[in-house]
Amino acid sequence: MPTFLINIRKHYHSFLYWTRLSRLSSLLLAVVLFSATVTAHEASDTASHIGFQISGSLARLVPQSDYVSDLVQSHSCNYQDIRFLWHTRAGDKDLFAPSFHYPTFQLGILHADFSDIKLNRPPRDYFSQLGHSIALYGGIQIDFATFRKWSLGCDLQNGVGFFTTHYDFKTNRDNEIIGSTAAIYVGASLYTKFRVAPHWSLMLSGDFRHLSNGHITRPNLGTNTLGASLALAYSLHEQSSSPNDVRAEANDSVKHEQNQMSSCRPQAKRRFYVDLSAGVSLKSILEEFMKDPSAKVHTYASFSAMIAPMVRYHQLHASGLQFDFINAQYVKHIKHYDYLNHHEGQYRYSPFVFGLGVRHEIFYRHVSMHASLGIYLRHRTGHLTATQESPLYQMIGLRYSLPFTNDKVFIGYNVKAHKLSKADCMQFMIGARL
């Protein structure tokens, strides 16, 4: 039988497996979507915002290092997902939507089938497995270019995934990719969309997807995949056929937007503020896992704090500097393992980690996403830090500002990484803009 037919049959059977595996989740999602549909038909204004999307994807696991490349013996995987869509429209009381070209928000459930990926490191005589993952996520679709029935855009997603199979020293030892049941899910896509009928659209996209626990536990090399997706979307409201239709709809509500704009002008002006946040960093240490891969790896909690003088020079954007501090009490354990590995006296150790970086933050109503690039001012954490990590670090995070505080108080999480691919820790923070 031709290879492509064998692959199609494999993907079909994996899809049936996922259907059985997630029957309860799918039923609950169907109830929610049906309820939303009934409500939408009863209220035409709500119906104009609602849509649904299904998609399937073929992808390939991309090793981020020679170590991972030697471990992975086959790379093919696939995804399927179902999404509930909420279209923003001209006339909404949303002053951010026009700046984002009236984006579409989404809630979805994703199935990731990694069962064809084989993991093996000689001399073991069996293959370890990645299994399957179910992820729940939220996201946003932004059409940044539109021409009649065609549009180009990007799709950003963030959520949490749950694996059916993870690292086990006795039965699944070579699965160093995922070492926990739960993981953070991140997805990013570039797509082209074509409106085939007033309510229907087809979408073709190139996707990057990542699942990792942020090194809260070990092992955790993480899944990085590149692939292509085909999606079918349905909207309860007839979609605009051209940019001119969108502009005409926007003109109907221009007076309303102008009246509302006055309340936004203070934020739109250049404004200086100081971003203060504190919380906890969660991290496991590689030295402990390498010493005894069969033992339970500890998760260490450390106090973390940030001070960031920022300039909000646009309704959507703010930039500035970021000073980072971690009280890394786990360093004493790193020192102990370095001693056991005969590195005594070769490296310096300190629980106080300082860094300074440049930072940018993008806002949409009460939600913001920030990213920073920093350099360590003090990072004395032993052998692996000196030999395998860069003096530069990266941080990306998501926040929600509490509306009743006038968006001054926020909660959120950050992922800190090295070399744009290797997670260092996860941070959960609370803070204020002063």
Side-chain angles (χ1 to χ4, degrees), residues 149-341:
K149 296 182 179 182
W150 288 95
S151 62
L152 299 174
C154 64
D155 186 341
L156 303 174
Q157 304 166 355
N158 187 210
V160 58
F162 303 92
F163 277 82
T164 60
T165 306
H166 54 80
Y167 174 84
D168 183 275
F169 181 77
K170 294 181 179 179
T171 63
N172 207 32
R173 189 178 305 186
D174 289 328
N175 181 4
E176 298 181 36
I177 305 294
I178 294 295
S180 60
T181 300
I184 295 296
Y185 166 69
V186 176
S189 304
L190 291 175
Y191 63 78
T192 180
K193 182 167 56 177
F194 179 70
R195 191 177 63 86
V196 296
H199 296 271
W200 296 89
S201 297
L202 280 175
M203 183 186 301
L204 180 66
S205 64
D207 314 310
F208 168 79
R209 290 186 170 102
H210 173 76
L211 283 156
S212 164
N213 64 40
H215 278 163
I216 291 180
T217 188
R218 306 275 176 163
N220 183 61
L221 297 173
T223 66
N224 295 305
T225 65
L226 294 175
S229 294
L230 181 64
L232 178 65
Y234 174 78
S235 298
L236 297 184
H237 185 272
E238 181 176 338
Q239 297 300 292
S240 301
S241 60
S242 73
N244 291 330
D245 295 338
V246 176
R247 284 192 288 268
E249 187 178 2
N251 288 335
D252 292 338
S253 59
V254 67
K255 291 183 180 180
H256 171 77
E257 296 216 6
Q258 287 175 344
N259 292 334
Q260 294 293 325
M261 189 62 71
S262 60
S263 63
C264 181
R265 283 173 185 164
Q267 283 193 343
K269 292 180 179 178
R270 186 179 297 271
R271 183 170 68 89
F272 174 82
Y273 64 94
V274 178
D275 186 312
L276 300 175
S277 59
V280 60
S281 294
L282 299 179
K283 173 185 174 70
S284 58
I285 58 177
L286 182 57
E287 292 86 348
E288 181 178 354
F289 174 73
M290 293 173 63
K291 188 63 179 178
D292 187 359
S294 66
K296 178 178 175 58
V297 177
H298 295 87
T299 300
Y300 299 97
S302 304
F303 172 77
S304 301
M306 301 178 193
I307 301 175
M310 303 285 291
V311 177
R312 181 86 174 261
Y313 52 87
H314 188 276
Q315 183 186 12
L316 309 183
H317 302 283
S319 300
L321 299 176
Q322 177 174 303
F323 179 78
D324 301 301
F325 167 74
I326 299 178
N327 184 12
Q329 293 299 317
Y330 56 81
V331 172
K332 61 186 177 183
H333 300 286
I334 293 178
K335 184 177 181 179
H336 168 70
Y337 288 110
D338 278 358
Y339 172 78
L340 296 179
N341 291 321

Side-chain angles (χ1 to χ4, degrees), residues 394-405:
Q394 304 81 44
M395 192 175 294
I396 188 169
L398 196 66
R399 293 174 165 183
Y400 178 75
S401 300
L402 304 179
F404 62 86
T405 67

Side-chain angles (χ1 to χ4, degrees), residues 29 82-85 105-109 137-139:
L29 182 63
I82 305 171
R83 310 180 196 183
F84 170 77
L85 306 178
F105 295 97
Q106 52 192 339
L107 292 173
I109 178 170
Y137 66 88

Side-chain angles (χ1 to χ4, degrees), residues 13-24:
H13 286 302
S14 68
F15 179 79
L16 293 180
Y17 172 81
W18 168 70
T19 302
R20 293 191 297 269
L21 182 68
S22 61
R23 186 174 298 167
L24 179 59

